[in-house]
């Protein structure tokens, strides 16, 4: 499991979202982590230590001086931890850390271990979050290396709207995972990525193709290599620079792509099928340029084989991530496609969203897993989207 042998000190502070830390405890444990909960006095007003004690199978610490070994507990717990995660983190704990105040157990641990292994997931009222003092504290801490998970925006418990909601538990665990394993998420894994359009030739010069730029696939290849995978990129024609540290194989037609891909059956761990494989091809191909007078109004067309479905038939083990570009009923259609093609995940793009789809540098996607869990990634550069897709898939899959 991904968080095997990982010791997490989970600091819970006094926010209305403190109850969500109970789910977080469960999730961290499910991934193999040992979780030691430390609560502030205010947190115990929102949720009881007994809840965390039961979930974590460990004594929950709420005070500086209770029980044995209290004198050095703040140091001992910090040394034991691979990461100290404060979720939810109130404006108060952030302010204390920024100013070096250590007047309870959690703030003392945080003072003793500085930025080395501390992550904050802030949650508070929008005005408290936007207060210039809080902003300054957060910016200061970020500047000296503390890691922050941005809060979500939306309706807050007090009825106000804005930034300040505790992010989804899956988002927090994803950040934790990246924080701990960044640069080695795919160590030892073999990954194939297809990218770009295919060209289906009618003759020597004419072809049917589509507007895919290949940017998403190339971003995935870069990211997978950065995360330690051995990456093969099978690319249709693009104007992009081959990513460094990646074996890039250039192909043109769907048939060539299929042949290259087949070489990897039963040899790889992940296949990211980001190519916009052309669905149709001229029924006949001429090796020379056809004379105009030989081309009539009824050009005959054939449907190309489904490459990814063919690959699944040959390799039942590989984890396959497909991509779908759909507008109307996109979510439903993407799920159907995932089932039909035997995919483990599908990334749904809605090209009608501004800044999503073909040719642009940004994307906004929904990642859907076979068990129908869905994750929406907000509009961001394709590099960032690639990072999120890889992180979430690895986290979900292993
Ligand atoms: O059916 P649709 O083209 O929307 O499916 C998209 C997914 O299927 C992509 O991952 C694409 O690479 C793959 N595909 C394929 N062979 C085709 C058409 C699409 O592998 N002929």
């Amino acid at each position: 499991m991904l968080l095997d042998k990982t010791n997490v000190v989970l600091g819970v502070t006094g926010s209305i979202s403190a109850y969500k830390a109970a789910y977080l405890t469960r999730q961290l444990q499910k991934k193999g982590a040992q979780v030691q909960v430390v609560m502030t006095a205010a947190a115990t007003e929102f949720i009881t230590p007994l809840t965390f004690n039961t979930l974590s199978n460990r004594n929950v610490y709420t005070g500086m001086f209770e029980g044995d070994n209290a004198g050095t507990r703040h140091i001992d717990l910090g040394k034991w931890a691979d990461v100290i995660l404060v979720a939810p983190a109130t404006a108060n704990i952030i302010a204390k850390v920024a100013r070096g105040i250590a007047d309870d157990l959690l703030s003392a641990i945080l003072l003793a271990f500085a930025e080395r292994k501390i992550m904050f997931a802030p949650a508070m009222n929008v005005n408290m979050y936007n207060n210039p003092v809080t902003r300054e504290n957060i910016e200061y801490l970020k500047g000296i290396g503390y890691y922050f998970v941005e809060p979500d925006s939306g309706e807050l418990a007090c009825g106000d709207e804005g930034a300040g909601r505790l992010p989804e538990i899956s988002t927090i665990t994803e950040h934790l995972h990246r924080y701990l394993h960044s640069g080695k998420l795919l160590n030892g894994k073999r990954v194939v990525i297809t990218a770009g359009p295919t060209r289906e030739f009618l003759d020597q010069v004419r072809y049917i193709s589509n507007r895919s730029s290949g940017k998403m696939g190339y971003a995935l290849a870069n990211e997978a290599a950065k995360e330690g995978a051995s990456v093969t990129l099978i690319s249709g024609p693009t104007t992009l620079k081959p990513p460094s540290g990646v074996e890039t194989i250039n192909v043109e037609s769907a048939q060539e792509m299929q042949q290259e891909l087949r070489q990897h059956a039963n040899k790889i761990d992940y296949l990211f099928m980001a190519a916009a494989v052309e669905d149709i091809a001229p029924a006949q191909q001429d090796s020379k340029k056809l004379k105009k007078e030989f081309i009539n109004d009824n050009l005959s067309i054939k449907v190309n084989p489904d490459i990814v479905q063919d690959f699944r038939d040959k390799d039942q083990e590989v984890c396959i991530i497909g991509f779908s570009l759909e507008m109307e009923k996109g979510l439903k259609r993407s799920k159907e496609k995932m089932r039909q093609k035997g995919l483990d995940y599908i990334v749904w793009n809605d090209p009608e969203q501004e800044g999503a789809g073909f040719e642009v540098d940004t994307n906004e996607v929904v990642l859907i897993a076979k068990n129908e869990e869905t994750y929406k990634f907000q509009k961001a550069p394709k590099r960032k989207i690639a990072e999120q897709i890889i992180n979430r898939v690895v986290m979900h899959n292993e």
Side-chain angles (χ1 to χ4, degrees):
M1 280 182 291
L2 279 177
L3 296 176
D4 260 352
K5 302 198 185 78
T6 307
N7 294 340
V8 181
V9 164
L10 175 60
V12 183
T13 65
S15 151
I16 189 75
S17 63
Y19 72 95
K20 293 186 185 168
Y23 295 103
L24 181 57
T25 305
R26 289 290 291 152
Q27 279 308 312
L28 294 173
Q29 280 191 318
K30 271 193 186 163
K31 297 285 176 197
Q34 298 281 329
V35 185
Q36 172 62 59
V37 177
V38 175
M39 302 174 75
T40 60
T44 63
E45 299 289 331
F46 290 93
I47 181 167
T48 68
L50 183 61
T51 307
F52 290 109
N53 167 239
T54 312
L55 291 172
S56 67
N57 263 324
R58 281 174 173 269
N59 225 347
V60 171
Y61 294 111
T62 53
M64 191 81 180
F65 304 109
E66 68 206 13
D68 297 335
N69 305 320
T72 56
R73 183 174 298 134
H74 58 301
I75 306 297
D76 300 339
L77 283 178
K79 281 186 182 161
W80 172 84
D82 296 300
V83 59
I84 303 164
L85 168 62
V86 188
T90 55
N92 185 50
I93 193 77
I94 293 168
K96 285 207 246 180
V97 174
R99 296 297 145 211
I101 296 171
D103 61 355
D104 63 7
L105 180 60
L106 183 60
S107 53
I109 297 172
L110 294 168
L111 182 65
F113 287 87
E115 80 292 349
R116 268 176 289 153
K117 45 183 170 184
I118 296 172
M119 262 182 81
F120 290 104
M124 64 197 77
N125 168 274
V126 59
N127 296 326
M128 293 168 103
Y129 186 64
N130 287 334
N131 185 312
V133 176
T134 307
R135 303 294 332 146
E136 196 181 299
N137 288 337
I138 292 177
E139 290 315 313
Y140 169 67
L141 290 174
K142 278 185 184 170
I144 57 171
Y146 285 80
Y147 190 104
F148 278 78
V149 184
E150 295 297 310
D152 281 351
S153 289
E155 195 187 334
L156 304 172
C158 51
D160 286 351
E161 284 268 327
R165 287 168 62 94
L166 189 71
E168 297 288 329
I169 300 306
S170 57
T171 306
I172 299 176
T173 50
E174 183 196 316
H175 277 271
L176 183 79
H177 183 228
R178 191 182 306 154
Y179 182 74
L180 289 167
H181 301 292
S182 182
K184 43 188 189 316
L185 284 178
L186 287 168
N187 256 0
K189 302 285 180 196
R190 287 151 308 168
V191 175
V192 170
I193 295 163
T194 66
T198 62
R199 284 180 181 169
E200 311 303 324
F201 283 88
L202 169 65
D203 62 21
Q204 205 180 11
V205 294
R206 301 182 180 93
Y207 56 80
I208 299 175
S209 191
N210 58 61
R211 287 171 51 196
S212 168
S213 64
K215 285 178 183 163
M216 195 63 234
Y218 276 60
L220 284 161
N222 262 316
E223 198 53 36
K226 233 171 71 192
E227 291 299 342
S230 133
V231 185
T232 303
L233 174 66
I234 304 175
S235 173
T238 74
T239 55
L240 304 172
K241 211 170 92 207
S244 62
V246 168
E247 179 195 23
T248 305
I249 297 168
N250 294 307
V251 296
E252 284 197 293
S253 65
Q255 200 191 358
E256 280 169 29
M257 190 173 272
Q258 182 171 38
Q259 273 166 9
E260 281 300 335
L261 190 55
R262 278 180 174 173
Q263 317 277 331
H264 297 275
N266 301 307
K267 293 185 192 149
I268 56 172
D269 302 290
Y270 290 94
L271 167 61
F272 290 86
M273 196 70 198
V277 182
E278 194 40 68
D279 286 316
I280 53 173
Q284 283 184 354
Q285 252 186 35
D286 215 289
S287 56
K288 298 221 168 53
K289 186 182 173 199
L290 278 174
K291 295 212 169 19
K292 228 183 196 166
E293 50 275 27
F294 291 120
I295 306 176
N296 61 34
D297 283 349
N298 304 314
L299 186 65
S300 25
I301 294 290
K302 66 174 184 191
V303 175
N304 268 336
D306 197 291
I307 299 183
V308 75
Q309 205 165 329
D310 168 78
F311 195 79
R312 170 56 88 210
D313 290 343
K314 297 191 164 33
D315 185 339
Q316 306 291 319
E317 298 297 319
V318 58
C319 175
I320 306 183
I321 301 92
F323 289 73
S324 100
L325 195 76
E326 290 284 349
M327 287 164 253
E328 243 171 82
K329 299 201 182 127
L331 187 63
K332 185 165 170 277
R333 288 174 60 88
S334 300
K335 285 182 187 170
E336 282 164 10
K337 231 180 258 183
M338 174 167 57
R339 270 189 291 275
Q340 191 192 341
K341 296 179 191 241
L343 309 175
D344 299 283
Y345 299 87
I346 195 156
V347 178
W348 167 42
N349 271 283
D350 179 351
E352 290 204 316
Q353 299 283 330
E354 201 198 315
F358 280 155
E359 291 171 344
V360 288
D361 289 324
T362 53
N363 215 354
E364 182 179 318
V365 304
V366 179
L367 174 72
I368 310 159
K370 205 157 58 176
N371 64 4
E372 303 226 341
E373 273 177 41
T374 59
Y375 308 99
K376 190 168 169 37
F377 301 138
Q378 305 296 342
K379 185 173 148 193
K382 284 183 173 164
R383 182 196 56 72
K384 179 89 191 151
I385 297 285
E387 183 185 296
Q388 287 175 302
I389 292 173
I390 287 179
N391 202 77
R392 197 60 68 92
V393 164
V394 174
M395 183 84 190
H396 197 261
N397 198 49
E398 311 221 347

